[in-house]
Amino acid sequence: MTTPQPQTAAAVPPPGCPAHRPAALFGAAVAEDPHGLYARLREQHGPVAPIELEPGVEAWLVLGYPELLELTRNEQLFSKDSRRWRVPAEGRLKPDSRLLPMTSWRPTLLNLDGAEHQRLRAAVSETLARVDHRQLRQATEAAADTLIDGWGPDGTADLIAQYARRLPLMVFTQLIGLPAAAGPHIVELISHFVDSSDKSVRANAEFQAILLDLVRQRRERPAADLTSWLLAHQAAMTDEEAVHHLVVIMVAGNETTINWTGNTLRLLLTDRRFRATLTGGRLTVSDALDEVLWRDPPTQNFPGRWATGDTVLGGQYISAGDMLVLGLAGANADPSVLTPDGVGGNRAHLAWGAGKHVCPAQQPARLIVETAVETLLHRLPDLQLAVPGHELAWRPSPWSRALVSLPVLYSAFTPPRTPPSERPAWTPPSPPSVSTPSEATSTPRTPASGRPGPRSWWSSLAGWWSGR
């Protein structure tokens, strides 16, 4: 750990100076110019900066590359168990706080340390490792072609609403064992409760019932899908644990893949170094994927860790129960790890986190995004932005780095590599119904299990992650 150096009188900010006040990690600033915000925080406070997550709710934003590695690797000092957080313990977190979805404790690999985390992580990691990459690429390409084929003849499209936001769920529904035809219905259900429409309560109940039906049917009739493999793993998950982790896979995988796809397409369409890629230039789609993970990672900040005792990190005194936010984009921009041109130049970025809780789905996510981008460029070879690049707007989320829209123009329309009649079907046997799910119940909870409030965990989490 680092030890703070005493400031000289000349270096101490005067009373009333903004440096004395925590920066707000919410609102327009973090959406419009996050890189500028992180640079100012680093200059004012060093690698660990005081922030507010909402008015009156303080935390620490870890911006230093080595400090973030220390934070994520030292489980004894920095726990994933949010029940250690002193803000709610002191009654300072509002019942309707937007921080609740991702800070409330749940029995998942996201919220556990030690042996229980290892048990659940092994189940998820080893399950994801069983995914056949050739089959996943084929399924992604087929989903991409289906979406592109459905666009009108006017030569315009919004690559966020009509492509990046729809494609991942079309793939994930098949991955977990729902039939391909269920994809559009699942997308519709999620759109209702994420956007808090008047159908959100019913849509959320139907979605959770679909997942529970899927788990119960796969208990009786396993198939070649993630749900069956998760249930068959020696971790011996309960039905409740399995549903919770399917939600984690769907939310984290879906939102991350959406943002990574959108941000990569934006880079390809706005950066001259990558524009040549559209016509066979030197820099590749793979290069663009890596640069996005360095500069504009799909998740720019992520909560969090909670201090198990008083300690020091990055020159800041951290008190027991303090929350620390992983500043993934900020740490990637740490001058100590950048090349002279300001780019990392390798895959040592922290977009996936680090330590024992590093994202276990990196390879499937990369394959989906790379295939989605390459398929789009093949199908629409003269693709170009419909508006100036500086007019593109970002979602007002301190967590996701996500575009609101990505309007494009095109005239050429290349046929798909694989004709529709020859596209491989990836539909597991005996799929559960998606139209008449059973009542959303669950297996008995353990005493420590969290119980959803009026708005479900999935619903709140999806909205939180996407900045809605």
Side-chain angles (χ1 to χ4, degrees):
M1 278 179 294
T2 54
T3 301
Q5 300 299 314
Q7 292 182 309
T8 65
V12 176
C17 173
H20 277 299
R21 299 192 299 271
L25 200 70
F26 55 89
V30 72
E32 295 171 1
D33 184 22
H35 301 295
L37 173 63
Y38 305 145
R40 290 191 298 273
L41 288 174
R42 191 190 312 277
E43 181 179 357
Q44 292 174 358
H45 302 284
V48 178
I51 56 170
E52 279 191 329
L53 295 173
E54 57 187 28
V57 178
E58 73 282 354
W60 298 98
L61 180 63
V62 181
L63 299 164
Y65 190 98
E67 287 77 15
L68 197 143
L69 289 179
E70 181 176 350
L71 176 74
T72 55
R73 292 173 178 174
N74 193 335
E75 193 175 84
Q76 297 302 313
L77 276 176
F78 305 109
S79 171
K80 282 288 288 183
D81 191 335
S82 62
R83 291 172 295 186
R84 297 178 180 271
W85 193 15
R86 59 188 179 86
V87 169
E90 295 169 358
R92 295 191 288 118
L93 194 65
K94 296 179 180 178
D96 60 348
S97 170
R98 290 177 60 85
L99 300 173
L100 284 171
M102 278 295 285
T103 59
S104 296
W105 187 88
R106 298 284 170 177
T108 74
L109 78 171
L110 293 177
N111 303 99
L112 294 165
D113 301 313
E116 270 299 277
H117 169 257
Q118 293 174 22
R119 176 181 74 90
L120 296 172
R121 180 180 174 84
V124 173
S125 298
E126 292 168 20
T127 292
L128 290 171
R130 296 183 63 175
V131 174
D132 183 283
H133 285 194
R134 180 185 60 84
Q135 197 175 35
L136 180 58
R137 184 178 292 278
Q138 290 175 340
T140 303
E141 185 174 332
D145 283 329
T146 298
L147 289 172
I148 296 169
D149 289 343
W151 295 350
D154 61 352
T156 66
D158 177 356
L159 296 185
I160 301 300
Q162 295 177 260
Y163 194 66
R165 188 154 289 280
R166 297 184 182 183
L167 187 146
L169 277 176
M170 293 174 66
V171 177
F172 290 142
T173 51
Q174 297 180 64
L175 272 177
I176 68 171
L178 291 170
H185 183 57
I186 296 295
V187 171
E188 180 185 8
L189 291 177
I190 291 174
S191 69
H192 282 308
F193 57 70
V194 166
D195 293 336
S196 299
S197 78
D198 56 359
K199 300 179 181 178
S200 61
V201 174
R202 182 179 60 81
N204 170 66
E206 184 176 348
F207 177 77
Q208 294 203 41
I210 288 171
L211 287 183
L212 185 60
D213 275 358
L214 174 63
V215 167
R216 287 173 172 171
Q217 292 200 29
R218 289 301 182 250
R219 287 277 189 204
E220 299 177 2
R221 297 189 299 275
D225 55 54
L226 288 180
T227 303
S228 300
W229 299 333
L230 202 61
L231 294 171
H233 192 272
Q234 62 184 8
M237 284 189 177
T238 65
D239 285 5
E240 181 187 18
E241 287 177 329
V243 170
H244 271 299
H245 284 85
L246 288 177
V247 169
V248 169
I249 291 170
M250 294 282 279
V251 175
N254 185 55
E255 286 296 329
T256 300
T257 307
I258 290 169
N259 300 342
W260 195 6
T261 302
N263 295 354
T264 301
L265 290 170
R266 169 188 169 273
L267 180 65
L268 290 169
L269 292 168
T270 59
D271 192 308
R272 290 185 177 182
R273 295 171 302 134
F274 290 97
R275 276 294 304 176
T277 298
L278 304 182
T279 54
R282 179 176 62 86
L283 293 177
T284 65
V285 169
S286 183
D287 293 327
L289 292 173
D290 288 331
E291 182 152 331
V292 165
L293 291 179
W294 274 102
R295 292 185 182 235
D296 285 306
T299 303
Q300 58 177 328
N301 301 301
F302 193 84
R305 298 292 192 275
W306 286 268
T308 61
D310 296 345
T311 187
V312 176
L313 180 69
Q316 300 284 8
Y317 291 100
I318 311 297
S319 299
D322 279 0
M323 177 179 176
L324 299 102
V325 175
L326 280 64
L328 304 176
N332 280 350
D334 188 332
S336 68
V337 298
L338 295 180
T339 59
D341 63 356
V343 180
N346 53 44
R347 294 186 182 177
H349 56 75
L350 297 174
W352 302 111
K356 295 179 180 179
H357 284 267
V358 68
C359 176
Q362 299 176 40
Q363 292 307 313
R366 187 180 188 92
L367 194 153
I368 292 171
V369 175
E370 187 169 38
T371 303
V373 172
E374 289 178 344
T375 302
L376 184 72
L377 299 184
H378 168 74
R379 296 294 308 277
L380 307 176
D382 65 346
L383 195 67
Q384 59 182 302
L385 275 180
V387 299
H390 66 270
E391 292 185 7
L392 295 174
W394 299 90
R395 289 194 178 279
S397 170
W399 320 112
S400 293
R401 186 62 173 157
L403 289 165
V404 173
S405 64
L406 188 60
V408 293
L409 303 171
Y410 59 90
S411 57
F413 213 117
T414 304
R417 294 186 180 95
T418 305
S421 60
E422 299 178 15
R423 291 175 190 168
W426 187 9
T427 305
S430 303
S433 168
V434 297
S435 57
T436 57
S438 64
E439 183 182 357
T441 59
S442 79
T443 52
R445 297 173 181 269
T446 60
S449 295
R451 189 175 298 275
R455 189 182 182 208
S456 80
W457 176 51
W458 157 263
S459 170
S460 300
L461 178 56
W464 177 93
W465 199 296
S466 60
R468 294 186 179 91

